[in-house]
Amino acid sequence: QVQLVESGGGLVQAGGSLRLSCAASGTIFGINAMGWYRQAPGKQRELVASISSGGTTNYLDSVKGRFTITRDNAKNTVDLQMNSLKPEDTAVYYCNAHLVVTILGTYRELWGQGTLVTVSS
């Protein structure tokens, strides 16, 4: 069974750092875009950062210069390094990936279970 498993998150003071990790497991023939989304209470889920299979990155304006997304194609992992965290970064963070799950090229979009990041002021 193909799945995304997240780790990291937790409670940190404003100005601190956290690192989120996400690993894809199961029978995978390839991974296209990977990314991290977040959803704060009462708000819609938003894209925080994404990275293509070739390494092209895209960031939410409010996290540019503070967050860095990286991926390891050999390990099927994507990480999000979050520095200079602010209380407004508090949210549940979700890993997302577009996976090729059959030899014929069938795509599936998967989500991780979510991990809570709380930034105290």
Side-chain angles (χ1 to χ4, degrees):
Q1 181 178 353
V2 180
Q3 60 179 349
L4 299 178
V5 178
E6 301 167 2
S7 60
L11 174 64
V12 65
Q13 289 188 333
S17 298
L18 283 174
R19 188 175 185 89
L20 306 181
S21 296
C22 174
S25 63
T27 303
I28 300 170
F29 291 86
I31 304 178
N32 289 331
M34 304 184 81
W36 289 92
Y37 287 71
R38 69 186 181 187
Q39 187 166 20
K43 295 187 177 181
Q44 289 188 332
R45 190 173 297 189
E46 63 182 355
L47 176 62
V48 176
S50 65
I51 184 167
S52 70
S53 57
T56 300
T57 57
N58 181 53
Y59 294 94
L60 183 67
D61 283 347
S62 62
V63 309
K64 286 180 180 177
R66 300 188 296 122
F67 291 11
T68 303
I69 188 170
T70 57
R71 65 187 285 172
D72 185 327
N73 291 330
K75 296 180 179 179
N76 292 336
T77 60
V78 60
D79 291 349
L80 185 68
Q81 178 66 41
M82 305 184 292
N83 298 328
S84 303
L85 282 161
K86 304 176 180 180
E88 51 263 44
D89 295 318
T90 295
V92 177
Y93 284 71
Y94 297 90
C95 176
N96 174 271
H98 292 77
L99 310 177
V100 180
V101 295
T102 73
I103 199 169
L104 298 178
T106 306
Y107 279 90
R108 280 189 62 190
E109 181 181 16
L110 289 186
W111 293 88
Q113 77 278 12
T115 185
L116 178 62
V117 172
T118 304
V119 184
S120 63
S121 58

